[in-house]
Amino acid sequence: MFIRFVVAVLMLLTGISVYAYFVGYRVDEDVSLLSVGMPTDTTLLIRRGEYLTRAGNCFGCHTVKGGPAYAGGRILRSEYGNFVSPNITPDRVTGIGNWTSDDFWRALHFGKAKDGRLLYPAFPYPNYTQISRADAEAMFAFLKTIPAISQKNQDHELRFPYNQRSLLVFWRAMYFKPAVFAEDKTKSPEWNRGAYLVQGLGHCSACHSQRNIFGANEGVNDLSGGELPQIQWYAPSLLHTNEAHLLNWTQNEAATLLKTGVNRKSVMSGPMAEVVFDSLQYLTDADISAISTYLQAIPVTKADTISALDQALTVSDSSEQTKKQMMQQGAVLYRTHCMDCHGTEGESVASVYPALKANPGLQMSSIATPLRIILAGGFAPATQLNPRPYSMPPFGPILSDSEVAILLSYIRNSWGNKAAFVTAAEVNHYRTVPMD
Ligand code: HEC
Ligand code: HEC
Ligand code: HEC
């Protein structure tokens, strides 16, 4: 944190402030898009606004669980401290009741509040800046019709220097460029609609990307997977097929997963379950289909996260950082391949599959048995008392050495289990020794 502050000061000294000044200036003055005429049919406009507000999941952040809709007060934990979302109901004193549609547009598109405060990007305006003026207009029209709730905004609880709003001028100069979504004419309308929803309104990159030390990612297309550190979740990469690239599914399966949070083989949990519950479930089939069309069309990136770990995995005494990464990757692999039988907490499902939690076989210094079962499958003998045992399919053919090493390290160190981490070389050794 101190380093970040020092860098901020250095930026000031090295003249980035001058750049910031001009960018800030430009951001202020670029009001060309500010006023456009209102469509005439207001009922339709409001309905459309309600739909778009759902697609942007404004509800999710601006509503306390069980509390009045859009009245704010939800705590959003981050590594910089806690943000508290403001009241965006039409209450004139505590909400945005006296905002004009230009004020509202300025917030979404430029990340500035009515009183000129620069807004923290915890409000995902780096994505929302892509929203069209017409869509912003519709959302504003809808938000004016919801019940006005009088609820005072709370201050964020941020650590120094993040509590210095004025420093946002640097952040914006470096990482924020206001721009409405630009259609790619070489692509289909469906692809473009999907891109608009994913990059802008749906703000998928807000969670599905890694952030640098300034809390910035590589932009709205950065879906390479990222940690949500304060809440201990990992939003998997949507670019890698070994994580959550939608090419892992047929169009139909992908659409079912996005709209219902479950499909034949996968289930969305934690923050993603909330995204589905508060937002994606309300989308039309056409929009869901546009999102999956767009995400499926993303070229597959080679699994560099795994291969970067390969090197580190050659030593069993890996660094804490590597171990942390392995645990994150392991959680993803476990959810994909093992959870259905062995349970979300390794507790076993329907007591027909062995529990992995508190399983002594997993915490021995020898990894031979579990490793062999994972590679070659596990088939209990069929006996009189147990004539049709459940068996475990072999994963050797579908998982790489590093993936198996990561998985085994993960199950050896989850749910209270504790044991040494496993290396890819060790896995490879067992692959090459004969089974019996
Ligand atoms: C990821 C959480 C999150 C989402 C999603 C989100 N917001 Fe916010 N919003 C915030 C936070 C946090 C702030 C406060 C930012 C600050 O104080 O700088 C904020 C601020 C605002 C403000 C400024 C209010 C004021 O009093 O200054 C408006 C307007 C707003 N959001 C509207 C929206 C709309 C409309 C949507 C949906 C399109 C939305 N927000 C979605 C978290 C979110
Ligand atoms: C609030 C943070 C957040 C946002 C916003 C978010 N995600 Fe996620 N997403 C997650 C997390 C965390 C997971 C991992 C948990 C899981 O797999 O259920 C996840 C998982 C996923 C998965 C894999 C699910 C599986 O079971 O295979 C897909 C696909 C996905 N997200 C798509 C999206 C899309 C598309 C958007 C934008 C419309 C989006 N996410 C927005 C946090 C988020
Ligand atoms: C289709 C259900 C199923 C899936 C999927 C599955 N397992 Fe299993 N697993 C089993 C069964 C059944 C056994 C018991 C096998 C036996 O009796 O030899 C087992 C046994 C094990 C054992 C040995 C436990 C012990 O106490 O001996 C380990 C370790 C294990 N599984 C890990 C995994 C991992 C890691 C994955 C994901 C890559 C996975 N399993 C996926 C059903 C499954």
Side-chain angles (χ1 to χ4, degrees), residues 57-58 61-62 86 99 104 113 117 119-120 122-124 128 156 165:
N57 199 10
C58 319
C61 283
H62 284 278
W99 285 38
F104 184 74
R117 270 174 310 135
L119 294 169
Y120 283 102
F123 165 41
Y128 292 154
H156 306 311
R165 247 184 219 277

mmCIF file with all atom_site columns, all heavy atoms in Angstrom, residues 57-58 61-62 86 99 104 113 117 119-120 122-124 128 156 165, ligand 1:
data_model
loop_
_atom_site.group_PDB
_atom_site.id
_atom_site.type_symbol
_atom_site.label_atom_id
_atom_site.label_alt_id
_atom_site.label_comp_id
_atom_site.label_asym_id
_atom_site.label_entity_id
_atom_site.label_seq_id
_atom_site.pdbx_PDB_ins_code
_atom_site.Cartn_x
_atom_site.Cartn_y
_atom_site.Cartn_z
_atom_site.occupancy
_atom_site.B_iso_or_equiv
_atom_site.pdbx_formal_charge
_atom_site.auth_seq_id
_atom_site.auth_comp_id
_atom_site.auth_asym_id
_atom_site.auth_atom_id
_atom_site.pdbx_PDB_model_num
ATOM   1   N  N   . ASN A 1 57  ? -27.288 -5.147 -13.361 1.00 0.00 ? 57  ASN A N   1
ATOM   2   C  CA  . ASN A 1 57  ? -27.268 -5.556 -11.957 1.00 0.00 ? 57  ASN A CA  1
ATOM   3   C  C   . ASN A 1 57  ? -26.998 -4.405 -10.995 1.00 0.00 ? 57  ASN A C   1
ATOM   4   O  O   . ASN A 1 57  ? -26.225 -4.531 -10.045 1.00 0.00 ? 57  ASN A O   1
ATOM   5   C  CB  . ASN A 1 57  ? -26.253 -6.682 -11.733 1.00 0.00 ? 57  ASN A CB  1
ATOM   6   C  CG  . ASN A 1 57  ? -26.556 -7.416 -10.428 1.00 0.00 ? 57  ASN A CG  1
ATOM   7   O  OD1 . ASN A 1 57  ? -27.602 -7.197 -9.816  1.00 0.00 ? 57  ASN A OD1 1
ATOM   8   N  ND2 . ASN A 1 57  ? -25.652 -8.285 -10.008 1.00 0.00 ? 57  ASN A ND2 1
ATOM   9   N  N   . CYS A 1 58  ? -27.646 -3.285 -11.232 1.00 0.00 ? 58  CYS A N   1
ATOM   10  C  CA  . CYS A 1 58  ? -27.554 -2.153 -10.300 1.00 0.00 ? 58  CYS A CA  1
ATOM   11  C  C   . CYS A 1 58  ? -28.146 -2.567 -8.952  1.00 0.00 ? 58  CYS A C   1
ATOM   12  O  O   . CYS A 1 58  ? -27.682 -2.150 -7.894  1.00 0.00 ? 58  CYS A O   1
ATOM   13  C  CB  . CYS A 1 58  ? -28.317 -0.954 -10.840 1.00 0.00 ? 58  CYS A CB  1
ATOM   14  S  SG  . CYS A 1 58  ? -28.107 -0.673 -12.602 1.00 0.00 ? 58  CYS A SG  1
ATOM   15  N  N   . CYS A 1 61  ? -25.642 -4.420 -6.204  1.00 0.00 ? 61  CYS A N   1
ATOM   16  C  CA  . CYS A 1 61  ? -24.749 -3.629 -5.351  1.00 0.00 ? 61  CYS A CA  1
ATOM   17  C  C   . CYS A 1 61  ? -25.492 -2.573 -4.548  1.00 0.00 ? 61  CYS A C   1
ATOM   18  O  O   . CYS A 1 61  ? -25.053 -2.194 -3.469  1.00 0.00 ? 61  CYS A O   1
ATOM   19  C  CB  . CYS A 1 61  ? -23.681 -2.931 -6.188  1.00 0.00 ? 61  CYS A CB  1
ATOM   20  S  SG  . CYS A 1 61  ? -22.360 -4.027 -6.713  1.00 0.00 ? 61  CYS A SG  1
ATOM   21  N  N   . HIS A 1 62  ? -26.603 -2.074 -5.098  1.00 0.00 ? 62  HIS A N   1
ATOM   22  C  CA  . HIS A 1 62  ? -27.265 -0.944 -4.439  1.00 0.00 ? 62  HIS A CA  1
ATOM   23  C  C   . HIS A 1 62  ? -28.399 -1.364 -3.513  1.00 0.00 ? 62  HIS A C   1
ATOM   24  O  O   . HIS A 1 62  ? -29.234 -0.545 -3.154  1.00 0.00 ? 62  HIS A O   1
ATOM   25  C  CB  . HIS A 1 62  ? -27.763 0.066  -5.486  1.00 0.00 ? 62  HIS A CB  1
ATOM   26  C  CG  . HIS A 1 62  ? -26.646 0.890  -6.060  1.00 0.00 ? 62  HIS A CG  1
ATOM   27  N  ND1 . HIS A 1 62  ? -26.141 2.001  -5.432  1.00 0.00 ? 62  HIS A ND1 1
ATOM   28  C  CD2 . HIS A 1 62  ? -25.909 0.739  -7.187  1.00 0.00 ? 62  HIS A CD2 1
ATOM   29  C  CE1 . HIS A 1 62  ? -25.157 2.517  -6.155  1.00 0.00 ? 62  HIS A CE1 1
ATOM   30  N  NE2 . HIS A 1 62  ? -24.990 1.761  -7.234  1.00 0.00 ? 62  HIS A NE2 1
ATOM   31  N  N   . PRO A 1 86  ? -24.189 3.833  -2.413  1.00 0.00 ? 86  PRO A N   1
ATOM   32  C  CA  . PRO A 1 86  ? -25.119 4.923  -2.097  1.00 0.00 ? 86  PRO A CA  1
ATOM   33  C  C   . PRO A 1 86  ? -26.564 4.604  -2.494  1.00 0.00 ? 86  PRO A C   1
ATOM   34  O  O   . PRO A 1 86  ? -26.843 3.638  -3.198  1.00 0.00 ? 86  PRO A O   1
ATOM   35  C  CB  . PRO A 1 86  ? -24.571 6.092  -2.912  1.00 0.00 ? 86  PRO A CB  1
ATOM   36  C  CG  . PRO A 1 86  ? -23.844 5.473  -4.046  1.00 0.00 ? 86  PRO A CG  1
ATOM   37  C  CD  . PRO A 1 86  ? -23.350 4.137  -3.575  1.00 0.00 ? 86  PRO A CD  1
ATOM   38  N  N   . TRP A 1 99  ? -31.412 14.618 -9.205  1.00 0.00 ? 99  TRP A N   1
ATOM   39  C  CA  . TRP A 1 99  ? -30.480 14.516 -10.327 1.00 0.00 ? 99  TRP A CA  1
ATOM   40  C  C   . TRP A 1 99  ? -31.246 14.689 -11.639 1.00 0.00 ? 99  TRP A C   1
ATOM   41  O  O   . TRP A 1 99  ? -32.403 14.280 -11.761 1.00 0.00 ? 99  TRP A O   1
ATOM   42  C  CB  . TRP A 1 99  ? -29.805 13.135 -10.353 1.00 0.00 ? 99  TRP A CB  1
ATOM   43  C  CG  . TRP A 1 99  ? -28.739 12.943 -9.317  1.00 0.00 ? 99  TRP A CG  1
ATOM   44  C  CD1 . TRP A 1 99  ? -28.740 13.404 -8.033  1.00 0.00 ? 99  TRP A CD1 1
ATOM   45  C  CD2 . TRP A 1 99  ? -27.520 12.207 -9.485  1.00 0.00 ? 99  TRP A CD2 1
ATOM   46  N  NE1 . TRP A 1 99  ? -27.600 12.990 -7.381  1.00 0.00 ? 99  TRP A NE1 1
ATOM   47  C  CE2 . TRP A 1 99  ? -26.838 12.256 -8.253  1.00 0.00 ? 99  TRP A CE2 1
ATOM   48  C  CE3 . TRP A 1 99  ? -26.941 11.504 -10.542 1.00 0.00 ? 99  TRP A CE3 1
ATOM   49  C  CZ2 . TRP A 1 99  ? -25.599 11.634 -8.061  1.00 0.00 ? 99  TRP A CZ2 1
ATOM   50  C  CZ3 . TRP A 1 99  ? -25.723 10.883 -10.341 1.00 0.00 ? 99  TRP A CZ3 1
ATOM   51  C  CH2 . TRP A 1 99  ? -25.054 10.964 -9.120  1.00 0.00 ? 99  TRP A CH2 1
ATOM   52  N  N   . PHE A 1 104 ? -27.092 11.891 -14.316 1.00 0.00 ? 104 PHE A N   1
ATOM   53  C  CA  . PHE A 1 104 ? -27.055 10.427 -14.286 1.00 0.00 ? 104 PHE A CA  1
ATOM   54  C  C   . PHE A 1 104 ? -26.097 9.907  -15.357 1.00 0.00 ? 104 PHE A C   1
ATOM   55  O  O   . PHE A 1 104 ? -25.274 9.030  -15.125 1.00 0.00 ? 104 PHE A O   1
ATOM   56  C  CB  . PHE A 1 104 ? -28.473 9.889  -14.516 1.00 0.00 ? 104 PHE A CB  1
ATOM   57  C  CG  . PHE A 1 104 ? -28.585 8.394  -14.411 1.00 0.00 ? 104 PHE A CG  1
ATOM   58  C  CD1 . PHE A 1 104 ? -28.536 7.758  -13.180 1.00 0.00 ? 104 PHE A CD1 1
ATOM   59  C  CD2 . PHE A 1 104 ? -28.757 7.613  -15.550 1.00 0.00 ? 104 PHE A CD2 1
ATOM   60  C  CE1 . PHE A 1 104 ? -28.655 6.377  -13.081 1.00 0.00 ? 104 PHE A CE1 1
ATOM   61  C  CE2 . PHE A 1 104 ? -28.875 6.238  -15.461 1.00 0.00 ? 104 PHE A CE2 1
ATOM   62  C  CZ  . PHE A 1 104 ? -28.827 5.622  -14.227 1.00 0.00 ? 104 PHE A CZ  1
ATOM   63  N  N   . ALA A 1 113 ? -19.958 12.251 -9.928  1.00 0.00 ? 113 ALA A N   1
ATOM   64  C  CA  . ALA A 1 113 ? -21.246 12.474 -9.247  1.00 0.00 ? 113 ALA A CA  1
ATOM   65  C  C   . ALA A 1 113 ? -21.781 13.852 -9.592  1.00 0.00 ? 113 ALA A C   1
ATOM   66  O  O   . ALA A 1 113 ? -21.062 14.690 -10.149 1.00 0.00 ? 113 ALA A O   1
ATOM   67  C  CB  . ALA A 1 113 ? -21.062 12.334 -7.750  1.00 0.00 ? 113 ALA A CB  1
ATOM   68  N  N   . ARG A 1 117 ? -17.815 15.165 -7.548  1.00 0.00 ? 117 ARG A N   1
ATOM   69  C  CA  . ARG A 1 117 ? -16.885 14.183 -6.981  1.00 0.00 ? 117 ARG A CA  1
ATOM   70  C  C   . ARG A 1 117 ? -16.521 13.149 -8.030  1.00 0.00 ? 117 ARG A C   1
ATOM   71  O  O   . ARG A 1 117 ? -17.384 12.661 -8.762  1.00 0.00 ? 117 ARG A O   1
ATOM   72  C  CB  . ARG A 1 117 ? -17.563 13.432 -5.817  1.00 0.00 ? 117 ARG A CB  1
ATOM   73  C  CG  . ARG A 1 117 ? -17.389 14.043 -4.444  1.00 0.00 ? 117 ARG A CG  1
ATOM   74  C  CD  . ARG A 1 117 ? -18.240 13.282 -3.439  1.00 0.00 ? 117 ARG A CD  1
ATOM   75  N  NE  . ARG A 1 117 ? -19.610 13.156 -3.928  1.00 0.00 ? 117 ARG A NE  1
ATOM   76  C  CZ  . ARG A 1 117 ? -20.324 12.025 -3.876  1.00 0.00 ? 117 ARG A CZ  1
ATOM   77  N  NH1 . ARG A 1 117 ? -19.815 10.926 -3.368  1.00 0.00 ? 117 ARG A NH1 1
ATOM   78  N  NH2 . ARG A 1 117 ? -21.559 12.010 -4.346  1.00 0.00 ? 117 ARG A NH2 1
ATOM   79  N  N   . LEU A 1 119 ? -15.853 9.471  -8.951  1.00 0.00 ? 119 LEU A N   1
ATOM   80  C  CA  . LEU A 1 119 ? -16.361 8.259  -8.316  1.00 0.00 ? 119 LEU A CA  1
ATOM   81  C  C   . LEU A 1 119 ? -15.320 7.144  -8.333  1.00 0.00 ? 119 LEU A C   1
ATOM   82  O  O   . LEU A 1 119 ? -14.513 7.039  -9.262  1.00 0.00 ? 119 LEU A O   1
ATOM   83  C  CB  . LEU A 1 119 ? -17.647 7.811  -9.004  1.00 0.00 ? 119 LEU A CB  1
ATOM   84  C  CG  . LEU A 1 119 ? -18.823 8.791  -8.813  1.00 0.00 ? 119 LEU A CG  1
ATOM   85  C  CD1 . LEU A 1 119 ? -19.984 8.446  -9.732  1.00 0.00 ? 119 LEU A CD1 1
ATOM   86  C  CD2 . LEU A 1 119 ? -19.273 8.828  -7.348  1.00 0.00 ? 119 LEU A CD2 1
ATOM   87  N  N   . TYR A 1 120 ? -15.345 6.336  -7.300  1.00 0.00 ? 120 TYR A N   1
ATOM   88  C  CA  . TYR A 1 120 ? -14.451 5.184  -7.231  1.00 0.00 ? 120 TYR A CA  1
ATOM   89  C  C   . TYR A 1 120 ? -14.899 4.126  -8.239  1.00 0.00 ? 120 TYR A C   1
ATOM   90  O  O   . TYR A 1 120 ? -16.099 3.868  -8.373  1.00 0.00 ? 120 TYR A O   1
ATOM   91  C  CB  . TYR A 1 120 ? -14.496 4.556  -5.834  1.00 0.00 ? 120 TYR A CB  1
ATOM   92  C  CG  . TYR A 1 120 ? -13.727 5.324  -4.801  1.00 0.00 ? 120 TYR A CG  1
ATOM   93  C  CD1 . TYR A 1 120 ? -14.383 6.151  -3.897  1.00 0.00 ? 120 TYR A CD1 1
ATOM   94  C  CD2 . TYR A 1 120 ? -12.338 5.224  -4.730  1.00 0.00 ? 120 TYR A CD2 1
ATOM   95  C  CE1 . TYR A 1 120 ? -13.676 6.859  -2.929  1.00 0.00 ? 120 TYR A CE1 1
ATOM   96  C  CE2 . TYR A 1 120 ? -11.628 5.925  -3.767  1.00 0.00 ? 120 TYR A CE2 1
ATOM   97  C  CZ  . TYR A 1 120 ? -12.303 6.742  -2.877  1.00 0.00 ? 120 TYR A CZ  1
ATOM   98  O  OH  . TYR A 1 120 ? -11.594 7.435  -1.920  1.00 0.00 ? 120 TYR A OH  1
ATOM   99  N  N   . ALA A 1 122 ? -15.071 1.190  -7.894  1.00 0.00 ? 122 ALA A N   1
ATOM   100 C  CA  . ALA A 1 122 ? -15.829 0.093  -7.277  1.00 0.00 ? 122 ALA A CA  1
ATOM   101 C  C   . ALA A 1 122 ? -17.233 0.108  -7.875  1.00 0.00 ? 122 ALA A C   1
ATOM   102 O  O   . ALA A 1 122 ? -17.915 -0.909 -7.940  1.00 0.00 ? 122 ALA A O   1
ATOM   103 C  CB  . ALA A 1 122 ? -15.910 0.293  -5.764  1.00 0.00 ? 122 ALA A CB  1
ATOM   104 N  N   . PHE A 1 123 ? -17.659 1.280  -8.275  1.00 0.00 ? 123 PHE A N   1
ATOM   105 C  CA  . PHE A 1 123 ? -18.837 1.455  -9.132  1.00 0.00 ? 123 PHE A CA  1
ATOM   106 C  C   . PHE A 1 123 ? -18.300 1.209  -10.548 1.00 0.00 ? 123 PHE A C   1
ATOM   107 O  O   . PHE A 1 123 ? -17.470 1.989  -11.018 1.00 0.00 ? 123 PHE A O   1
ATOM   108 C  CB  . PHE A 1 123 ? -19.363 2.880  -8.933  1.00 0.00 ? 123 PHE A CB  1
ATOM   109 C  CG  . PHE A 1 123 ? -20.342 3.384  -9.955  1.00 0.00 ? 123 PHE A CG  1
ATOM   110 C  CD1 . PHE A 1 123 ? -21.347 2.560  -10.452 1.00 0.00 ? 123 PHE A CD1 1
ATOM   111 C  CD2 . PHE A 1 123 ? -20.272 4.701  -10.397 1.00 0.00 ? 123 PHE A CD2 1
ATOM   112 C  CE1 . PHE A 1 123 ? -22.261 3.056  -11.382 1.00 0.00 ? 123 PHE A CE1 1
ATOM   113 C  CE2 . PHE A 1 123 ? -21.182 5.188  -11.321 1.00 0.00 ? 123 PHE A CE2 1
ATOM   114 C  CZ  . PHE A 1 123 ? -22.170 4.363  -11.814 1.00 0.00 ? 123 PHE A CZ  1
ATOM   115 N  N   . PRO A 1 124 ? -18.713 0.131  -11.206 1.00 0.00 ? 124 PRO A N   1
ATOM   116 C  CA  . PRO A 1 124 ? -17.982 -0.274 -12.428 1.00 0.00 ? 124 PRO A CA  1
ATOM   117 C  C   . PRO A 1 124 ? -18.238 0.617  -13.647 1.00 0.00 ? 124 PRO A C   1
ATOM   118 O  O   . PRO A 1 124 ? -18.593 0.135  -14.709 1.00 0.00 ? 124 PRO A O   1
ATOM   119 C  CB  . PRO A 1 124 ? -18.462 -1.712 -12.653 1.00 0.00 ? 124 PRO A CB  1
ATOM   120 C  CG  . PRO A 1 124 ? -19.762 -1.829 -11.949 1.00 0.00 ? 124 PRO A CG  1
ATOM   121 C  CD  . PRO A 1 124 ? -19.755 -0.843 -10.826 1.00 0.00 ? 124 PRO A CD  1
ATOM   122 N  N   . TYR A 1 128 ? -19.467 0.606  -17.516 1.00 0.00 ? 128 TYR A N   1
ATOM   123 C  CA  . TYR A 1 128 ? -20.731 1.274  -17.856 1.00 0.00 ? 128 TYR A CA  1
ATOM   124 C  C   . TYR A 1 128 ? -20.551 2.415  -18.850 1.00 0.00 ? 128 TYR A C   1
ATOM   125 O  O   . TYR A 1 128 ? -21.516 2.853  -19.472 1.00 0.00 ? 128 TYR A O   1
ATOM   126 C  CB  . TYR A 1 128 ? -21.419 1.807  -16.595 1.00 0.00 ? 128 TYR A CB  1
ATOM   127 C  CG  . TYR A 1 128 ? -21.938 0.739  -15.660 1.00 0.00 ? 128 TYR A CG  1
ATOM   128 C  CD1 . TYR A 1 128 ? -22.085 0.997  -14.297 1.00 0.00 ? 128 TYR A CD1 1
ATOM   129 C  CD2 . TYR A 1 128 ? -22.313 -0.519 -16.128 1.00 0.00 ? 128 TYR A CD2 1
ATOM   130 C  CE1 . TYR A 1 128 ? -22.574 0.040  -13.427 1.00 0.00 ? 128 TYR A CE1 1
ATOM   131 C  CE2 . TYR A 1 128 ? -22.799 -1.490 -15.259 1.00 0.00 ? 128 TYR A CE2 1
ATOM   132 C  CZ  . TYR A 1 128 ? -22.923 -1.206 -13.910 1.00 0.00 ? 128 TYR A CZ  1
ATOM   133 O  OH  . TYR A 1 128 ? -23.410 -2.158 -13.046 1.00 0.00 ? 128 TYR A OH  1
ATOM   134 N  N   . HIS A 1 156 ? -17.555 5.575  2.981   1.00 0.00 ? 156 HIS A N   1
ATOM   135 C  CA  . HIS A 1 156 ? -16.743 4.376  2.793   1.00 0.00 ? 156 HIS A CA  1
ATOM   136 C  C   . HIS A 1 156 ? -15.727 4.300  3.927   1.00 0.00 ? 156 HIS A C   1
ATOM   137 O  O   . HIS A 1 156 ? -15.364 5.319  4.512   1.00 0.00 ? 156 HIS A O   1
ATOM   138 C  CB  . HIS A 1 156 ? -15.975 4.448  1.467   1.00 0.00 ? 156 HIS A CB  1
ATOM   139 C  CG  . HIS A 1 156 ? -16.851 4.714  0.279   1.00 0.00 ? 156 HIS A CG  1
ATOM   140 N  ND1 . HIS A 1 156 ? -17.997 4.017  0.029   1.00 0.00 ? 156 HIS A ND1 1
ATOM   141 C  CD2 . HIS A 1 156 ? -16.733 5.619  -0.737  1.00 0.00 ? 156 HIS A CD2 1
ATOM   142 C  CE1 . HIS A 1 156 ? -18.551 4.464  -1.091  1.00 0.00 ? 156 HIS A CE1 1
ATOM   143 N  NE2 . HIS A 1 156 ? -17.814 5.439  -1.575  1.00 0.00 ? 156 HIS A NE2 1
ATOM   144 N  N   . ARG A 1 165 ? -9.976  10.812 -2.322  1.00 0.00 ? 165 ARG A N   1
ATOM   145 C  CA  . ARG A 1 165 ? -10.669 10.806 -3.597  1.00 0.00 ? 165 ARG A CA  1
ATOM   146 C  C   . ARG A 1 165 ? -9.885  11.520 -4.697  1.00 0.00 ? 165 ARG A C   1
ATOM   147 O  O   . ARG A 1 165 ? -9.924  11.140 -5.857  1.00 0.00 ? 165 ARG A O   1
ATOM   148 C  CB  . ARG A 1 165 ? -12.028 11.499 -3.465  1.00 0.00 ? 165 ARG A CB  1
ATOM   149 C  CG  . ARG A 1 165 ? -13.190 10.574 -3.638  1.00 0.00 ? 165 ARG A CG  1
ATOM   150 C  CD  . ARG A 1 165 ? -14.480 11.329 -3.589  1.00 0.00 ? 165 ARG A CD  1
ATOM   151 N  NE  . ARG A 1 165 ? -15.479 10.563 -2.861  1.00 0.00 ? 165 ARG A NE  1
ATOM   152 C  CZ  . ARG A 1 165 ? -16.211 9.593  -3.419  1.00 0.00 ? 165 ARG A CZ  1
ATOM   153 N  NH1 . ARG A 1 165 ? -16.102 9.317  -4.686  1.00 0.00 ? 165 ARG A NH1 1
ATOM   154 N  NH2 . ARG A 1 165 ? -17.071 8.914  -2.689  1.00 0.00 ? 165 ARG A NH2 1
HETATM 155 C  C1  . HEC B 2 .   ? -20.192 -3.547 -8.167  1.00 0.00 ? 1   HEC B C1  1
HETATM 156 C  C2  . HEC B 2 .   ? -21.112 -2.737 -7.428  1.00 0.00 ? 1   HEC B C2  1
HETATM 157 C  C3  . HEC B 2 .   ? -21.949 -1.719 -8.160  1.00 0.00 ? 1   HEC B C3  1
HETATM 158 C  C4  . HEC B 2 .   ? -22.764 -1.919 -9.241  1.00 0.00 ? 1   HEC B C4  1
HETATM 159 C  C5  . HEC B 2 .   ? -22.983 -3.200 -10.013 1.00 0.00 ? 1   HEC B C5  1
HETATM 160 C  C6  . HEC B 2 .   ? -23.401 -0.663 -9.496  1.00 0.00 ? 1   HEC B C6  1
HETATM 161 N  N1  . HEC B 2 .   ? -22.983 0.287  -8.603  1.00 0.00 ? 1   HEC B N1  1
HETATM 162 FE FE1 . HEC B 2 .   ? -23.555 2.230  -8.563  1.00 0.00 ? 1   HEC B FE1 1
HETATM 163 N  N2  . HEC B 2 .   ? -22.131 2.579  -7.147  1.00 0.00 ? 1   HEC B N2  1
HETATM 164 C  C7  . HEC B 2 .   ? -21.415 1.638  -6.475  1.00 0.00 ? 1   HEC B C7  1
HETATM 165 C  C8  . HEC B 2 .   ? -20.569 2.280  -5.496  1.00 0.00 ? 1   HEC B C8  1
HETATM 166 C  C9  . HEC B 2 .   ? -19.619 1.594  -4.521  1.00 0.00 ? 1   HEC B C9  1
HETATM 167 C  C10 . HEC B 2 .   ? -20.790 3.655  -5.626  1.00 0.00 ? 1   HEC B C10 1
HETATM 168 C  C11 . HEC B 2 .   ? -20.116 4.782  -4.827  1.00 0.00 ? 1   HEC B C11 1
HETATM 169 C  C12 . HEC B 2 .   ? -18.893 5.262  -5.592  1.00 0.00 ? 1   HEC B C12 1
HETATM 170 C  C13 . HEC B 2 .   ? -18.205 6.400  -4.903  1.00 0.00 ? 1   HEC B C13 1
HETATM 171 O  O1  . HEC B 2 .   ? -18.578 6.770  -3.782  1.00 0.00 ? 1   HEC B O1  1
HETATM 172 O  O2  . HEC B 2 .   ? -17.262 6.941  -5.490  1.00 0.00 ? 1   HEC B O2  1
HETATM 173 C  C14 . HEC B 2 .   ? -21.786 3.815  -6.669  1.00 0.00 ? 1   HEC B C14 1
HETATM 174 C  C15 . HEC B 2 .   ? -22.277 5.048  -7.100  1.00 0.00 ? 1   HEC B C15 1
HETATM 175 C  C16 . HEC B 2 .   ? -23.320 5.182  -7.997  1.00 0.00 ? 1   HEC B C16 1
HETATM 176 C  C17 . HEC B 2 .   ? -23.908 6.457  -8.348  1.00 0.00 ? 1   HEC B C17 1
HETATM 177 C  C18 . HEC B 2 .   ? -23.503 7.822  -7.782  1.00 0.00 ? 1   HEC B C18 1
HETATM 178 C  C19 . HEC B 2 .   ? -24.408 8.102  -6.633  1.00 0.00 ? 1   HEC B C19 1
HETATM 179 C  C20 . HEC B 2 .   ? -24.015 9.290  -5.800  1.00 0.00 ? 1   HEC B C20 1
HETATM 180 O  O3  . HEC B 2 .   ? -24.772 9.603  -4.879  1.00 0.00 ? 1   HEC B O3  1
HETATM 181 O  O4  . HEC B 2 .   ? -22.954 9.865  -6.046  1.00 0.00 ? 1   HEC B O4  1
HETATM 182 C  C21 . HEC B 2 .   ? -24.915 6.197  -9.235  1.00 0.00 ? 1   HEC B C21 1
HETATM 183 C  C22 . HEC B 2 .   ? -25.852 7.187  -9.881  1.00 0.00 ? 1   HEC B C22 1
HETATM 184 C  C23 . HEC B 2 .   ? -24.929 4.767  -9.444  1.00 0.00 ? 1   HEC B C23 1
HETATM 185 N  N3  . HEC B 2 .   ? -23.950 4.185  -8.676  1.00 0.00 ? 1   HEC B N3  1
HETATM 186 C  C24 . HEC B 2 .   ? -25.824 4.118  -10.270 1.00 0.00 ? 1   HEC B C24 1
HETATM 187 C  C25 . HEC B 2 .   ? -25.688 2.788  -10.636 1.00 0.00 ? 1   HEC B C25 1
HETATM 188 C  C26 . HEC B 2 .   ? -26.428 2.176  -11.707 1.00 0.00 ? 1   HEC B C26 1
HETATM 189 C  C27 . HEC B 2 .   ? -27.479 2.854  -12.550 1.00 0.00 ? 1   HEC B C27 1
HETATM 190 C  C28 . HEC B 2 .   ? -25.992 0.894  -11.783 1.00 0.00 ? 1   HEC B C28 1
HETATM 191 C  C29 . HEC B 2 .   ? -26.393 -0.169 -12.782 1.00 0.00 ? 1   HEC B C29 1
HETATM 192 C  C30 . HEC B 2 .   ? -26.238 0.175  -14.166 1.00 0.00 ? 1   HEC B C30 1
HETATM 193 C  C31 . HEC B 2 .   ? -24.998 0.726  -10.741 1.00 0.00 ? 1   HEC B C31 1
HETATM 194 N  N4  . HEC B 2 .   ? -24.853 1.887  -10.061 1.00 0.00 ? 1   HEC B N4  1
HETATM 195 C  C32 . HEC B 2 .   ? -24.334 -0.463 -10.493 1.00 0.00 ? 1   HEC B C32 1
HETATM 196 C  C33 . HEC B 2 .   ? -21.460 0.271  -6.702  1.00 0.00 ? 1   HEC B C33 1
HETATM 197 C  C34 . HEC B 2 .   ? -22.099 -0.328 -7.768  1.00 0.00 ? 1   HEC B C34 1
#
